[in-house]
Amino acid sequence: MDSSIPSPLAAMTSSEPSRVAVIGASGYGGLQTLRLLLGHPRFDVTFLGGERSAGQRWSSVCPFLPLPDDPQVQSADPDRVAEAADYAVLSLPNGLACQLAPRLLERGVRVIDLSADFRYRSLEQWNQVYAQEAARLNRTDADLCRDAVYGLPEWHGPAIAEASLVAAPGCFPTASLLPLLPFLKQGLIDTDGIIIDAKTGTSGGGRVPKEAMLLAEASESIAPYGVVGHRHTSEIEQLAQEVAGQSVQLQFTPHLVPMVRGLLSTVYARLRDPGLTAEDCTTVLEAVYRHHPCVQVMPVGTYPATKWVRHTNRAMLSVQVDTRTGQLILMSAIDNLIKGQAGQGIQCLNLMAGLEPETGLPLQAFYP
Amino acid sequence: MDSSIPSPLAAMTSSEPSRVAVIGASGYGGLQTLRLLLGHPRFDVTFLGGERSAGQRWSSVCPFLPLPDDPQVQSADPDRVAEAADYAVLSLPNGLACQLAPRLLERGVRVIDLSADFRYRSLEQWNQVYAQEAARLNRTDADLCRDAVYGLPEWHGPAIAEASLVAAPGCFPTASLLPLLPFLKQGLIDTDGIIIDAKTGTSGGGRVPKEAMLLAEASESIAPYGVVGHRHTSEIEQLAQEVAGQSVQLQFTPHLVPMVRGLLSTVYARLRDPGLTAEDCTTVLEAVYRHHPCVQVMPVGTYPATKWVRHTNRAMLSVQVDTRTGQLILMSAIDNLIKGQAGQGIQCLNLMAGLEPETGLPLQAFYP
Amino acid sequence: MDSSIPSPLAAMTSSEPSRVAVIGASGYGGLQTLRLLLGHPRFDVTFLGGERSAGQRWSSVCPFLPLPDDPQVQSADPDRVAEAADYAVLSLPNGLACQLAPRLLERGVRVIDLSADFRYRSLEQWNQVYAQEAARLNRTDADLCRDAVYGLPEWHGPAIAEASLVAAPGCFPTASLLPLLPFLKQGLIDTDGIIIDAKTGTSGGGRVPKEAMLLAEASESIAPYGVVGHRHTSEIEQLAQEVAGQSVQLQFTPHLVPMVRGLLSTVYARLRDPGLTAEDCTTVLEAVYRHHPCVQVMPVGTYPATKWVRHTNRAMLSVQVDTRTGQLILMSAIDNLIKGQAGQGIQCLNLMAGLEPETGLPLQAFYP
Amino acid sequence: MDSSIPSPLAAMTSSEPSRVAVIGASGYGGLQTLRLLLGHPRFDVTFLGGERSAGQRWSSVCPFLPLPDDPQVQSADPDRVAEAADYAVLSLPNGLACQLAPRLLERGVRVIDLSADFRYRSLEQWNQVYAQEAARLNRTDADLCRDAVYGLPEWHGPAIAEASLVAAPGCFPTASLLPLLPFLKQGLIDTDGIIIDAKTGTSGGGRVPKEAMLLAEASESIAPYGVVGHRHTSEIEQLAQEVAGQSVQLQFTPHLVPMVRGLLSTVYARLRDPGLTAEDCTTVLEAVYRHHPCVQVMPVGTYPATKWVRHTNRAMLSVQVDTRTGQLILMSAIDNLIKGQAGQGIQCLNLMAGLEPETGLPLQAFYP
């Protein structure tokens, strides 16, 4: 192999850590990515990019996370990123990554995008779902959308390993799809009437101040939002349909919970075979995830709390069956900023670099 | 009418406030009852009963809620209660009220029970659902169970006004039934496949210390519990069936939310007529609750937060319809300790005393 | 008395409720004022003023607090305010009330200002302490500053009753001064070396979104801020000196606590007479506050929790003495938005209208 | 060196990890110890001891922290502990370690005790301060008390390295002493009139359910407790005096904060030299802690939030000086369960095993 051609296997054999640029470093996604990479055995952060914080010393942005030599945050100039890094993790608001990613890819930088810009294979669908962003962008990168790999590592591992551009799914799709896909794939549940009642901590709303995310407003309260037609509905359905091989229609309702981190998805679906027990269904999940260390299937009757996975890259799944009603109840807990965002990005990065997917990722919570 | 015979109308015409005994005063339900009655224009608390706290000065039990003359908490001797009070609110663990209530009723005291002891018309069903309590009790009061009135004031107002014994529903049934019953009554939704995904604050677990309710355990976490077969399932179904006039089967899943108070029920049901809009369904609720000041129906697109009803006796309801999936989504927020417990008890008490149901009850939250 | 001249006694004898304008209604201070006045027996809110929210229907600003006829928020035109109201409560950022108040006073409206604009008798000192605001204002209302009455009702009741312009003290000075002033007045403590270690909930930071007040940032954390030279230091010292009749120097350190409401001041001072006991010092407080229903002195050994005064206009005080070190420890808990802001404003309003100071104000918490 | 004699250097040179018993594994201290040791490169947990949980499978005690082969919790039989482990970390209520430690030491097990049993050099003083425990114990191990090493690694490193029995200080003394000792040692502050106003999360109260630690009670509230005479006063004074070389008298007031973890100590002391600036005093701390990676001194004007050190073994210190009042203000934030308990124990263990003190300990927080 010509050594000038970048290879997914290079990192594995080389003794040098790979170089990673983190773009959008002062937001929560970027901050988590940075924090996780600081403890990673095979990656070095070699470029810190930001927009609002460009030009500032890192210590003035995040006094609590000291970095060696206190680097300046830089604006994300593609040439400079390409010079400094082999990989770039983009943690930017929707509508920005699609402007930066092509220019990084051209320069040979492999990209993990944590935004929604490349999560749809069809640009047309993205334009519909993200109509507001689409209106001011007029994107022409339909090819890139089609080629980007959806970065759910437990389901798209080999494609991620080869990919130049990975669109890491967000917190709601991750938590909802992990327990649901095995049952769709095996045709064990009805593909309509699926209900996803999801609950998230407020850090999912990002670090830019919004009234609804103030402690004074959000604490001591729970409320639904985005009821009917939330953007993640179509993202979840897209994946569900690919795996089910048929049309899937589901109801997705997010709720805001008074906590910083954590996301719980409670999924309701009708079993096609009313004879299936909770134990049977647990076995279905175990069979799929046995060799996936970032997914843990709990024994029947043990229901996951988001605290159990806080600060980890682990999803905890549990199944219950109501034989009286024929309902399957799937419960899935993740840390929205790690397995639901930054950790997932690094899990993809690990695969791209030929490493074990869980390399450098925390899997055990500090309780309580 | 012989003035020696107690009458529901007496309080209305008399200038004397009615006398109320609060039994179980130091638990959360009793404490709320007491606090609400302190500001009530037509009731005086004339007996403070407790078990664990019997013999103690009130100020040593609750230094934060000073009472005039700092009374002693007394054990709930039926004769002394009957001497002191016209009404008794029982806020006791399940399995205690059924021992005390008959003895109070015999002595002419009208009883509002906040426990589950009289919520089933059939003692047999209670024995099944509360098997653990039933095992040590061997109840023989099937008649009393049949005659007790289920205290959901918006649906059973006239019966409550006449009742000697009212079984006030708990927080989950209250929040779930209020939005659901109008649709069942009018036959607008399927009576199977109903999903109730409910979220409650930790005060619902009571004041007796339990590990799972410690701040260190419960905060920064959300988790399901009692998945499949939770006791409140059958209680909700009982009422739903009475109103629907046919069998109703539903899935009820409670979740513990890191907040003190508040309960949100998100209810999913299939519309029979796919042409109904969110506006139509909002009109259905408004028509039912127009003259019920403790229920507020929100305009389409405004979803209730539990903070909006905290420390009030109000339920806030909202409706959304997904025309794509045919699902009706009902959202209902209450304060679990007030409209879900103590406030509801006093709402019943008001009706029993011939007062307007909302008399003396807070309806506006202190925000934030 | 000529009936055309407004009189503090008018409201008392008249059967008509007084008319109050609330300016800045959608912020936390205005919202609390509004909420408290909704339940007040002698005041009607007749004007809702706002800046950011001017022109909007109230229901779109605060869907959770429905008002009759859903009024529009209006910009605070002095003529229209004067036409509509006898009193105006100004809940505005520092530097705005000093522009509006004179124009209202000219038109005969009596003003309660919840900001810091009139809390210093010396405009010069205000210019120093609020240098940033002063720089763009160039105030010339030194006379008004001198004549404004500092609205701590327990200490300036008669002056408040007669005042045209009341500057209600904020949360930190209120909580700190109430326990401290009696000891300074009687010369029982050293006037230097006083330490005030104060802890506040995040609602004190207001409703305008700031990163530090996001739930994600502020929860699960406590931190000091404004260490040395915080603006409230000089405000507290000004009052302390007036009462002590000599110079007082104190150290004030605020801390941000992960809760919505509540403020606790822990005050340390050296006793001049080492023989004084905690009981003696409790008696000192009781003697001063016996006839002040908004201040409650706790028995020795019972220390106030902010939860005990939440949603009330009550300050709870407690004293402890360390005979070993000669230190007096004063503890004082208030609800920062009520006794520390809006409730205090209404307490002043009550006095101005010739009512009992606690009229219409909640004094008992809903626990928990 | 005779290889049969245990040596602090053995672990360093050996390639085998040392074997550690964790006694009291299901409480918060034990759980943290276990969690930290799971990621430790040089220690293996070889014995899991408990009392309440003895005989249970680990997965039933802590389903969220799966251990290989799901071991049973065992009762802490000294022979079995000695057989299984070189070191024992005791995380037990006060009054238990003093019964177990001697029997482990006899058997050659080196002990780190996280309780207060060996924190006083004088058994007599312990008997006074822990009078309740003393009354039922009648301890006779004055020699052991005298020989035990107080495990504050930044100050007693060499002694800890040689020790057989280390008494790790608790959260309040750790947070308070780290910023205070350098100033006492150099004689820069008065040794009387020192005020420590400390704020702790509720996990410090342990995992055994107590009413005051329920989320419903403790959240949305801050309150002082143990005012005057709290046990930790004398523990802090003992160390302060040793370092100052003279009598030190201080006022210690703890407060309960509505958060799980984190402890902030705000310390007030009078500077002897009024000319010292905040920069000077920061330099004093930096000089002392430069080579101590578990202590971080912040630049002047950056005040530590407990969130910045959550889930880490780091103390963050900051200094401010009020030149007007001559007060030195020291701020110190730690995670009460890590640097204030379990992490500190492992830091001692590292020293005992000849490792760098921070080996295997997290130093960077996951923010937010």
Side-chain angles (χ1 to χ4, degrees):
Chain A
M1 192 193 290
D2 183 337
S3 70
S4 69
I5 296 172
S7 146
L9 297 175
M12 219 174 172
T13 50
S14 135
S15 61
E16 287 291 297
S18 297
R19 302 169 308 151
V20 183
V22 179
I23 315 292
S26 63
Y28 289 146
L31 200 47
Q32 295 303 300
T33 302
L34 186 61
R35 171 62 187 81
L36 289 164
L37 289 176
L38 285 181
H40 198 286
R42 299 304 306 272
F43 294 117
D44 277 352
V45 176
T46 52
F47 187 95
L48 268 191
E51 213 174 352
R52 288 187 304 154
S53 52
Q56 293 186 258
R57 287 275 156 214
W58 179 252
S59 62
S60 72
V61 181
C62 291
F64 48 82
L65 190 69
L67 295 182
D69 302 325
D70 196 12
Q72 265 193 330
V73 179
Q74 302 181 51
S75 69
D77 174 71
D79 284 324
R80 297 180 64 184
V81 174
E83 199 176 317
D86 309 309
Y87 300 91
V89 179
L90 310 187
S91 182
L92 298 165
N94 294 324
L96 289 186
C98 63
Q99 299 176 62
L100 181 58
R103 300 160 73 197
L104 294 174
L105 292 166
E106 281 167 16
R107 287 163 176 80
V109 180
R110 298 172 79 190
V111 173
I112 295 94
D113 178 24
L114 304 183
S115 85
D117 283 9
F118 296 103
R119 289 188 193 147
Y120 291 84
R121 286 171 199 268
S122 147
L123 174 56
E124 201 178 345
Q125 193 178 5
W126 188 89
N127 282 333
Q128 276 170 15
V129 178
Y130 291 82
Q132 221 178 339
E133 288 85 353
R136 50 177 174 75
L137 281 174
N138 198 17
R139 289 176 63 174
T140 58
D141 54 350
D143 287 7
L144 210 48
C145 289
R146 197 168 44 242
D147 294 346
V149 173
Y150 193 77
L152 190 58
E154 285 76 14
W155 286 81
H156 309 109
I160 293 167
E162 301 294 329
S164 296
L165 172 58
V166 171
C171 44
F172 285 123
T174 299
S176 305
L177 290 167
L178 285 173
L180 195 52
L181 292 183
F183 295 94
L184 284 170
K185 188 178 175 81
Q186 298 187 31
L188 298 173
I189 53 175
D190 286 351
T191 51
D192 68 337
I194 297 168
I195 308 270
I196 301 177
D197 190 284
K199 297 94 177 166
T200 183
T202 69
S203 60
R207 202 176 189 185
V208 177
K210 301 186 193 97
E211 183 183 297
M213 301 301 169
L214 290 174
L215 187 144
E217 302 276 325
S219 95
E220 272 292 298
S221 199
I222 181 167
Y225 67 97
V227 182
V228 173
H230 188 283
R231 292 164 162 196
H232 285 154
T233 310
S234 57
E235 186 183 333
I236 300 172
E237 284 182 353
Q238 173 184 254
L239 263 283
Q241 281 164 186
E242 277 182 27
V243 166
Q246 66 178 109
S247 172
V248 173
Q249 215 176 51
L250 50 82
Q251 198 67 39
F252 168 70
T253 313
H255 297 76
L256 190 66
V257 179
M259 60 186 187
V260 180
R261 289 156 171 268
L263 190 151
L264 181 78
S265 236
T266 314
V267 182
Y268 303 87
R270 283 189 305 276
L271 283 170
R272 283 186 174 150
D273 175 354
L276 285 179
T277 65
E279 282 73 15
D280 296 336
C281 294
T282 298
T283 304
V284 167
L285 288 185
E286 282 172 343
V288 171
Y289 293 117
R290 180 156 298 138
H291 302 295
H292 291 279
C294 298
V295 177
Q296 185 178 356
V297 180
M298 307 304 284
V300 175
T302 300
Y303 308 124
T306 58
K307 179 171 281 198
W308 296 0
V309 293
R310 202 175 34 158
H311 297 175
T312 81
N313 195 55
R314 189 166 257 172
M316 272 197 190
L317 311 184
S318 181
V319 192
Q320 192 50 281
V321 168
D322 191 337
T323 52
R324 196 178 65 107
T325 63
Q327 287 280 354
L328 173 73
I329 299 133
L330 301 168
M331 293 148 278
S332 168
I334 62 169
D335 182 313
N336 59 307
L337 294 181
I338 303 200
K339 182 62 178 165
Q341 189 180 31
Q344 183 128 284
I346 291 172
Q347 202 179 342
C348 292
L349 200 56
N350 284 333
L351 291 169
M352 293 164 87
L355 305 170
E356 292 298 318
E358 74 276 21
T359 309
L361 290 168
L363 294 180
Q364 304 266 32
F366 277 91
Y367 192 89
Chain B
M1 191 193 287
D2 183 336
S3 68
S4 68
I5 296 173
S7 144
L9 297 175
M12 218 175 172
T13 50
S14 134
S15 60
E16 287 291 296
S18 297
R19 301 169 307 150
V20 182
V22 178
I23 315 292
S26 63
Y28 289 146
L31 201 46
Q32 295 302 302
T33 303
L34 185 60
R35 171 63 186 81
L36 289 165
L37 288 176
L38 285 182
H40 199 286
R42 299 305 305 271
F43 294 116
D44 276 353
V45 177
T46 51
F47 187 95
L48 268 191
E51 211 174 354
R52 287 187 305 153
S53 51
Q56 293 185 259
R57 286 276 156 212
W58 179 252
S59 63
S60 72
V61 180
C62 290
F64 48 83
L65 189 69
L67 295 182
D69 303 325
D70 195 12
Q72 264 192 331
V73 180
Q74 303 181 51
S75 69
D77 174 70
D79 284 325
R80 296 180 62 183
V81 174
E83 199 176 318
D86 309 308
Y87 299 91
V89 179
L90 311 187
S91 182
L92 298 165
N94 294 322
L96 289 186
C98 63
Q99 299 175 62
L100 181 59
R103 300 159 73 197
L104 294 174
L105 292 166
E106 282 166 16
R107 287 162 176 80
V109 179
R110 298 172 79 191
V111 173
I112 295 94
D113 179 23
L114 304 182
S115 84
D117 284 8
F118 296 103
R119 290 189 193 148
Y120 291 84
R121 287 172 198 266
S122 146
L123 173 57
E124 201 178 345
Q125 192 178 4
W126 188 89
N127 282 333
Q128 274 171 16
V129 179
Y130 291 82
Q132 222 176 340
E133 288 85 351
R136 48 178 175 76
L137 281 174
N138 197 19
R139 289 175 66 175
T140 58
D141 54 351
D143 287 7
L144 210 48
C145 290
R146 196 167 45 243
D147 294 346
V149 172
Y150 193 76
L152 191 58
E154 285 76 14
W155 287 80
H156 308 108
I160 293 167
E162 301 294 328
S164 297
L165 172 58
V166 171
C171 45
F172 285 122
T174 298
S176 306
L177 289 168
L178 285 173
L180 195 52
L181 292 184
F183 295 94
L184 285 170
K185 187 177 175 81
Q186 299 187 29
L188 298 173
I189 53 174
D190 286 352
T191 51
D192 69 335
I194 297 169
I195 308 271
I196 300 176
D197 190 284
K199 299 92 175 164
T200 183
T202 68
S203 61
R207 202 175 189 184
V208 177
K210 301 186 193 95
E211 184 183 298
M213 300 301 169
L214 290 174
L215 187 145
E217 302 275 325
S219 95
E220 273 292 299
S221 199
I222 182 168
Y225 67 96
V227 182
V228 174
H230 187 283
R231 291 164 163 195
H232 285 154
T233 310
S234 57
E235 185 184 333
I236 300 172
E237 284 182 353
Q238 173 184 256
L239 263 282
Q241 281 164 186
E242 276 181 28
V243 165
Q246 66 178 109
S247 171
V248 174
Q249 214 175 51
L250 50 82
Q251 199 66 39
F252 168 70
T253 314
H255 297 76
L256 190 66
V257 178
M259 60 188 188
V260 180
R261 286 156 173 267
L263 190 151
L264 182 78
S265 234
T266 314
V267 182
Y268 303 88
R270 284 190 306 275
L271 283 169
R272 284 188 172 151
D273 175 353
L276 285 179
T277 64
E279 283 73 14
D280 297 336
C281 293
T282 298
T283 303
V284 167
L285 289 185
E286 283 172 343
V288 171
Y289 293 116
R290 181 156 299 137
H291 301 296
H292 290 280
C294 298
V295 177
Q296 184 177 358
V297 180
M298 307 303 284
V300 175
T302 299
Y303 307 124
T306 57
K307 179 171 282 199
W308 296 359
V309 294
R310 202 176 34 158
H311 296 175
T312 80
N313 195 54
R314 190 166 256 172
M316 272 197 190
L317 311 184
S318 181
V319 191
Q320 193 49 282
V321 167
D322 192 336
T323 51
R324 197 179 64 108
T325 62
Q327 287 279 356
L328 174 72
I329 299 132
L330 302 167
M331 293 149 279
S332 169
I334 61 169
D335 181 314
N336 59 308
L337 295 181
I338 303 200
K339 182 61 180 166
Q341 190 180 30
Q344 183 127 286
I346 291 172
Q347 203 180 341
C348 292
L349 200 55
N350 284 333
L351 291 169
M352 293 164 88
L355 304 170
E356 292 298 317
E358 73 276 21
T359 309
L361 291 168
L363 294 180
Q364 304 267 30
F366 277 91
Y367 192 88
Chain C
M1 193 193 289
D2 185 335
S3 69
S4 69
I5 296 172
S7 146
L9 298 174
M12 221 174 170
T13 50
S14 134
S15 60
E16 287 291 297
S18 297
R19 303 169 307 151
V20 182
V22 178
I23 315 292
S26 63
Y28 289 147
L31 201 46
Q32 295 304 301
T33 303
L34 187 60
R35 171 61 187 81
L36 289 165
L37 289 176
L38 286 180
H40 199 286
R42 299 305 305 273
F43 295 116
D44 275 353
V45 177
T46 52
F47 187 94
L48 267 191
E51 211 174 354
R52 288 187 305 154
S53 52
Q56 293 185 260
R57 286 275 157 215
W58 179 251
S59 62
S60 73
V61 180
C62 290
F64 47 84
L65 189 69
L67 295 183
D69 303 325
D70 196 10
Q72 264 192 331
V73 180
Q74 303 181 51
S75 69
D77 174 71
D79 283 325
R80 297 178 64 184
V81 174
E83 200 175 318
D86 310 309
Y87 300 91
V89 179
L90 310 187
S91 182
L92 298 165
N94 294 324
L96 289 185
C98 62
Q99 299 175 62
L100 181 59
R103 299 159 75 195
L104 294 174
L105 292 166
E106 281 166 16
R107 287 160 176 81
V109 180
R110 297 172 81 190
V111 173
I112 295 95
D113 179 23
L114 304 183
S115 84
D117 283 9
F118 296 103
R119 289 188 194 148
Y120 291 84
R121 286 173 198 266
S122 146
L123 173 57
E124 201 178 343
Q125 192 178 6
W126 188 88
N127 282 332
Q128 275 171 16
V129 178
Y130 290 83
Q132 222 176 339
E133 288 84 353
R136 50 177 175 74
L137 281 175
N138 197 20
R139 289 175 66 174
T140 57
D141 54 350
D143 287 7
L144 212 47
C145 290
R146 198 168 42 241
D147 293 346
V149 172
Y150 193 77
L152 190 59
E154 284 77 12
W155 286 80
H156 309 109
I160 293 168
E162 300 294 329
S164 297
L165 172 57
V166 171
C171 45
F172 285 122
T174 299
S176 305
L177 289 168
L178 285 173
L180 195 52
L181 291 184
F183 294 94
L184 284 170
K185 189 178 173 79
Q186 299 187 29
L188 298 173
I189 53 175
D190 287 350
T191 51
D192 69 335
I194 297 169
I195 308 270
I196 300 176
D197 191 283
K199 299 94 176 164
T200 182
T202 69
S203 61
R207 202 176 189 186
V208 176
K210 301 187 193 91
E211 184 183 297
M213 300 300 167
L214 291 174
L215 187 144
E217 302 275 325
S219 96
E220 272 292 297
S221 198
I222 181 169
Y225 68 96
V227 182
V228 173
H230 188 283
R231 291 162 163 199
H232 285 154
T233 310
S234 58
E235 185 182 335
I236 300 172
E237 283 182 353
Q238 173 184 254
L239 262 284
Q241 281 164 185
E242 276 181 29
V243 166
Q246 66 177 108
S247 171
V248 173
Q249 214 175 48
L250 50 81
Q251 199 67 40
F252 168 70
T253 312
H255 297 76
L256 191 65
V257 178
M259 61 186 188
V260 180
R261 289 157 171 265
L263 189 151
L264 181 77
S265 235
T266 314
V267 182
Y268 302 87
R270 283 189 305 276
L271 284 170
R272 284 189 172 150
D273 175 352
L276 285 179
T277 65
E279 282 73 14
D280 296 335
C281 293
T282 298
T283 304
V284 167
L285 289 184
E286 283 172 343
V288 171
Y289 294 116
R290 182 156 296 137
H291 302 295
H292 290 279
C294 298
V295 177
Q296 185 177 356
V297 180
M298 307 302 284
V300 176
T302 300
Y303 307 124
T306 58
K307 178 170 281 197
W308 295 1
V309 293
R310 203 176 33 158
H311 296 175
T312 80
N313 195 55
R314 190 166 257 172
M316 272 196 190
L317 311 185
S318 181
V319 191
Q320 194 49 282
V321 168
D322 192 336
T323 51
R324 198 179 63 107
T325 62
Q327 288 278 356
L328 173 74
I329 299 133
L330 302 167
M331 294 150 276
S332 168
I334 62 169
D335 182 313
N336 58 308
L337 295 181
I338 304 200
K339 181 61 180 166
Q341 189 178 32
Q344 182 126 288
I346 290 172
Q347 201 178 342
C348 292
L349 200 56
N350 284 334
L351 291 170
M352 293 165 87
L355 304 170
E356 292 298 317
E358 73 276 21
T359 309
L361 291 169
L363 295 180
Q364 304 267 29
F366 278 91
Y367 192 90
Chain D
M1 193 195 288
D2 184 337
S3 69
S4 69
I5 296 173
S7 147
L9 298 174
M12 220 173 171
T13 50
S14 136
S15 61
E16 287 291 298
S18 298
R19 303 169 307 153
V20 182
V22 178
I23 314 292
S26 63
Y28 288 146
L31 201 46
Q32 295 303 301
T33 303
L34 185 61
R35 171 62 187 81
L36 289 165
L37 288 175
L38 286 181
H40 199 287
R42 300 304 305 272
F43 294 116
D44 277 353
V45 176
T46 51
F47 187 95
L48 268 190
E51 213 174 354
R52 287 188 304 154
S53 52
Q56 293 185 260
R57 287 276 157 214
W58 179 251
S59 62
S60 72
V61 180
C62 291
F64 47 83
L65 189 69
L67 295 182
D69 303 324
D70 196 10
Q72 265 192 331
V73 180
Q74 302 180 51
S75 69
D77 174 71
D79 283 326
R80 297 179 64 182
V81 174
E83 200 176 318
D86 310 308
Y87 300 90
V89 179
L90 311 187
S91 182
L92 298 166
N94 294 322
L96 289 185
C98 63
Q99 299 175 61
L100 181 59
R103 299 159 73 196
L104 294 174
L105 292 166
E106 281 167 17
R107 287 161 177 82
V109 180
R110 297 173 80 191
V111 173
I112 295 93
D113 178 25
L114 304 183
S115 83
D117 284 9
F118 296 103
R119 289 188 194 149
Y120 291 85
R121 286 173 198 266
S122 146
L123 174 56
E124 202 178 344
Q125 192 178 6
W126 189 88
N127 282 333
Q128 275 171 14
V129 178
Y130 291 82
Q132 221 176 341
E133 288 85 353
R136 49 177 174 74
L137 281 174
N138 198 17
R139 290 175 66 174
T140 57
D141 53 351
D143 287 7
L144 211 48
C145 290
R146 198 167 42 241
D147 294 346
V149 172
Y150 192 77
L152 190 58
E154 285 76 13
W155 286 81
H156 308 110
I160 293 167
E162 301 294 329
S164 297
L165 172 59
V166 171
C171 45
F172 285 122
T174 298
S176 305
L177 290 168
L178 285 173
L180 195 52
L181 292 183
F183 294 94
L184 285 170
K185 189 180 174 78
Q186 299 187 30
L188 298 172
I189 53 175
D190 286 351
T191 50
D192 69 336
I194 298 168
I195 307 271
I196 301 175
D197 190 285
K199 298 93 175 165
T200 182
T202 69
S203 61
R207 202 176 189 184
V208 176
K210 301 186 193 94
E211 184 183 297
M213 300 301 168
L214 291 174
L215 188 144
E217 303 274 326
S219 96
E220 272 292 297
S221 199
I222 181 168
Y225 67 97
V227 183
V228 174
H230 188 283
R231 291 165 164 195
H232 285 154
T233 310
S234 57
E235 185 183 333
I236 300 172
E237 283 183 352
Q238 173 184 254
L239 262 284
Q241 281 164 185
E242 276 181 27
V243 166
Q246 65 178 110
S247 171
V248 174
Q249 214 175 50
L250 50 82
Q251 198 67 39
F252 168 70
T253 314
H255 297 76
L256 190 66
V257 178
M259 60 187 188
V260 179
R261 287 156 173 267
L263 189 150
L264 181 77
S265 236
T266 313
V267 182
Y268 302 88
R270 284 189 304 276
L271 283 171
R272 284 188 172 150
D273 175 352
L276 285 178
T277 65
E279 283 73 15
D280 296 335
C281 294
T282 299
T283 304
V284 167
L285 289 185
E286 283 173 344
V288 170
Y289 293 116
R290 182 156 297 139
H291 302 296
H292 290 280
C294 298
V295 178
Q296 185 177 355
V297 181
M298 308 302 283
V300 175
T302 301
Y303 308 123
T306 57
K307 180 170 279 197
W308 296 1
V309 294
R310 203 176 34 160
H311 296 175
T312 81
N313 195 54
R314 188 165 258 173
M316 272 197 191
L317 311 185
S318 181
V319 191
Q320 192 49 280
V321 167
D322 191 336
T323 51
R324 198 178 65 106
T325 62
Q327 288 278 356
L328 174 73
I329 300 133
L330 302 167
M331 293 149 278
S332 169
I334 62 170
D335 182 314
N336 59 307
L337 295 180
I338 304 201
K339 182 61 180 166
Q341 189 179 32
Q344 183 127 287
I346 291 172
Q347 202 179 340
C348 292
L349 199 57
N350 284 333
L351 290 171
M352 293 165 87
L355 304 169
E356 292 298 317
E358 73 276 20
T359 309
L361 290 169
L363 294 181
Q364 304 266 31
F366 278 92
Y367 193 89

